[in-house]
């Protein structure tokens, strides 16, 4: 009984507050708060993210991949199931981690290369020092 009263009270209060909240914010102001880029800009970003130099090969690869995927799903050659969702989530997570680690790893690797190259002349320097110390 208490849950019915609470549900009724929540529904009544929600129906009272929604029209008031919607009336206080004009639709033009809500559009101004949006920070989405224009569709043309977004399309250009997607095309630029594809690795290639030529616009025809960039868009061709996108269209070919989309077409093959659509054909495979529509002909039931591939059935999207929970493993597909898990794979997509894993690939998204792995890509995000790889992009975030790429910069620090490159700095560390360059530092290791610099350290190892600085030790390369060490054996020859040691041999020449030993030969010079034996000569007196």
């Amino acid at each position: 009984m208490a849950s019915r009263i609470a549900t009724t009270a929540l529904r009544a209060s929600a129906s009272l507050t929604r029209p008031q909240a919607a009336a206080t914010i004009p639709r033009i102001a809500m559009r101004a708060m949006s920070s989405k880029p224009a569709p043309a800009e977004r399309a250009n970003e997607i095309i630029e993210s594809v690795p290639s130099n030529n616009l025809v090969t960039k868009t061709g690869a996108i269209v070919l991949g989309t077409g093959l995927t659509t054909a495979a799903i529509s002909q039931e050659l591939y059935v999207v199931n929970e493993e597909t969702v898990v794979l997509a989530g894993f690939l998204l997570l792995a890509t995000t981690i790889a992009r975030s680690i790429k910069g620090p790893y490159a700095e560390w690797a360059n530092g290791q290369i610099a350290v190892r190259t600085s030790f390369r002349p060490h054996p020859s320097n040691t041999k020449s020092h030993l030969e010079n110390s034996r000569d007196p």
Side-chain angles (χ1 to χ4, degrees):
M1 185 64 180
S3 64
R4 287 184 185 173
I5 294 171
T7 306
T8 306
L10 286 173
R11 285 184 184 157
S13 66
S15 65
L16 292 175
T17 58
R18 285 184 188 151
Q20 293 169 353
T24 58
I25 302 174
R27 291 191 184 269
I28 297 171
M30 287 192 299
R31 286 195 96 140
M33 288 186 238
S34 174
S35 63
K36 293 181 181 177
E41 292 175 12
R42 181 67 182 135
N44 193 22
E45 288 176 8
I46 292 172
I47 291 174
E48 290 298 323
S49 68
V50 176
S52 182
N53 294 331
N54 190 356
L55 181 64
V56 174
T57 57
K58 285 183 179 187
T59 55
I62 293 171
V63 170
L64 181 65
T66 305
L68 288 175
T69 303
T70 304
I73 291 172
S74 68
Q75 296 297 319
E76 296 183 4
L77 297 172
Y78 184 75
V79 178
V80 178
N81 52 18
E82 59 271 1
E83 286 89 5
T84 304
V85 175
V86 170
L87 177 66
F90 174 74
L91 290 176
L92 181 67
L93 180 68
T95 303
T96 304
I97 290 172
R99 285 183 180 175
S100 65
I101 290 178
K102 182 171 58 173
Y105 177 76
E107 290 176 14
W108 174 81
N110 289 335
Q112 291 296 316
I113 291 170
V115 167
R116 289 186 181 162
T117 56
S118 67
F119 283 122
R120 283 189 184 155
H122 178 70
S124 62
N125 289 343
T126 305
K127 287 178 185 176
S128 65
H129 178 69
L130 289 174
E131 289 173 1
N132 292 337
S133 63
R134 290 184 197 163
D135 289 337

